[in-house]
């Protein structure tokens, strides 16, 4: 069997936690920030976990994470 390839785009966007969960950054923080509240922008800075429905697909494209 040849080695499995990691999806490089996904590898740059997701990190594994110590317990094996996948950590991601939140969207909507790139531009058009003037209409968003300070509280909303502050909460977008915090990392989020990948939803359980997507984890199986993510493990497939990130085999060595």
């Amino acid at each position: 069997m040849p080695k499995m390839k990691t999806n490089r785009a996904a590898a740059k966007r997701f990190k594994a936690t110590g317990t094996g969960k996948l950590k991601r950054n939140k969207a909507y923080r790139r531009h058009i920030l003037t209409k968003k509240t300070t509280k909303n922008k502050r909460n977008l800075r915090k990392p989020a976990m990948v939803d359980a429905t997507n984890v199986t697909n993510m493990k497939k494209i990130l085999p060595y994470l």
Side-chain angles (χ1 to χ4, degrees):
M1 284 291 289
K3 287 191 274 186
M4 293 173 74
K5 280 196 174 181
T6 299
N7 181 307
R8 297 310 296 163
K12 291 167 189 171
R13 287 169 173 80
F14 300 96
K15 295 278 177 276
T17 62
T19 55
K21 292 178 183 174
L22 290 173
K23 192 167 64 170
R24 65 173 177 85
N25 286 325
K26 292 180 181 173
Y28 307 110
R29 187 78 217 295
R30 295 290 175 192
H31 60 99
I32 316 173
L33 297 171
T34 50
K35 63 176 77 170
K36 293 172 184 141
T37 63
T38 311
K39 182 180 179 181
N40 188 12
K41 288 184 279 194
R42 186 168 59 245
N43 286 328
L44 288 172
R45 275 186 231 142
K46 299 170 187 170
M49 296 298 154
V50 173
D51 193 65
T53 55
N54 299 322
V55 168
T56 50
N57 287 332
M58 296 306 301
K59 296 280 184 183
K60 235 176 251 179
I61 63 174
L62 298 166
Y64 302 106
L65 196 62

